[in-house]
Amino acid sequence: MKLDIGAGGLGVSSGTEQKGDINFDIYPYSGIDVVGDARYLPFKDESFDEISSWHLLEHFWEDEIPTVLQEWIRVLKYNGIFEIKVPNIKSVPIFVNFYLDLMGLGLIYGDKTGHRFEMLHKICFSSHSLEKYLRDANIVVIKYEPFYEIEDSWYNIFCNQVTKKYPLLSREIHFWGIKTEKAKKYKWLCKEDNYLEGVDMFIELTKSRSNT
């Protein structure tokens, strides 16, 4: 059984909804099974085999992140799968500085339409910082998947070229992990923050821009 936390109007995040799966959100969108605050889940310990949350964690304050993750992991069975997506702060300088990408600004600020405070972003993550939070919550990260755009414009093609060369500069951090009692004894998947990758790409784009 799977729980999608912050499902929105999309349903179970992976698109593989099965009988018994639960869509949870703070708003009563169509397809939502349980409405509530993601900081206080109304489920028993170890109720789910799999939990997913796409683009929700960044809507909490930094000092809330450890307790929010502990609450989510509380309802996940040991050896269960945890899937999470958040915006990647490392992608922002590339896309905003060189191509005035308003979508890139959205990665920082969140959805400013509708004047809903809860839709704004309150923290930014890199792959390394997110993995640290997850390890502290007893999640071992086993897979990182870069985000690729649909290549229907020159800009999306450019984004994909960046991601292919520098996967950790993907617009989105997408992790899969497993709940375990001793997460910190396992190797890091993103041990270094690979800052130099961003510097290299920045220099490369600067040169290409100056030659146009």
Side-chain angles (χ1 to χ4, degrees):
M1 189 163 66
K2 180 175 180 178
L3 172 66
D4 186 348
I5 305 174
L10 300 177
V12 170
S13 296
S14 66
T16 57
E17 185 171 2
Q18 300 180 15
K19 185 177 181 180
D21 291 344
I22 295 177
N23 295 316
F24 181 95
D25 201 275
I26 194 170
Y27 294 111
Y29 297 113
S30 175
I32 296 300
D33 303 298
V34 179
V35 176
D37 189 329
R39 295 171 296 179
Y40 313 103
L41 299 178
F43 308 110
K44 295 180 180 179
D45 294 358
E46 301 180 47
S47 296
F48 297 93
D49 303 293
E50 185 174 352
I51 291 177
S52 62
S53 180
W54 290 10
H55 295 281
L56 175 61
L57 193 62
E58 64 272 17
H59 294 277
F60 296 98
W61 296 109
E62 181 177 2
D63 60 358
E64 292 182 300
I65 300 300
T67 54
V68 168
L69 283 174
Q70 287 172 10
E71 176 66 358
W72 295 0
I73 304 309
R74 174 185 67 78
V75 301
L76 179 65
K77 295 178 181 178
Y78 278 96
N79 297 316
I81 299 295
F82 184 73
E83 180 189 7
I84 188 168
K85 291 184 180 184
V86 298
N88 184 1
I89 187 60
K90 290 187 66 179
S91 72
V92 172
I94 299 297
F95 299 118
V96 173
N97 278 297
F98 286 91
Y99 290 90
L100 298 177
D101 177 20
L102 298 180
M103 177 69 177
L105 293 176
L107 294 176
I108 299 176
Y109 298 115
D111 183 359
K112 295 181 287 184
T113 63
H115 302 282
R116 293 187 295 178
F117 180 73
E118 65 275 11
M119 298 302 292
L120 299 179
H121 294 175
K122 303 174 183 71
I123 185 173
C124 297
F125 298 95
S126 68
S127 55
H128 181 71
S129 68
L130 179 60
E131 184 171 5
K132 183 179 186 305
Y133 279 117
L134 294 177
R135 287 169 67 90
D136 289 343
N138 287 329
I139 293 292
V140 176
V141 176
I142 60 172
K143 181 181 178 181
Y144 167 74
E145 182 176 319
F147 173 75
Y148 289 98
E149 307 278 357
I150 298 174
E151 295 193 350
D152 56 359
S153 67
W154 71 268
Y155 181 72
N156 285 351
I157 292 173
F158 162 74
C159 292
N160 288 348
Q161 290 174 341
V162 172
T163 300
K164 287 175 184 177
K165 188 166 185 179
Y166 299 100
L168 293 182
L169 294 183
S170 166
R171 284 177 177 269
E172 176 180 274
I173 302 166
H174 188 180
F175 277 155
W176 278 268
I178 295 177
K179 181 178 179 178
T180 179
E181 291 184 350
K182 298 180 179 179
K184 293 182 180 180
K185 76 176 184 179
Y186 294 92
K187 292 182 178 180
W188 289 71
L189 189 67
C190 300
K191 185 175 181 179
E192 300 297 333
D193 212 15
N194 293 321
Y195 173 72
L196 289 178
E197 281 196 353
V199 173
D200 290 343
M201 192 63 179
F202 211 79
I203 293 173
E204 183 178 320
L205 285 173
T206 301
K207 289 179 179 179
S208 65
R209 196 178 188 189
S210 62
N211 291 331
T212 59

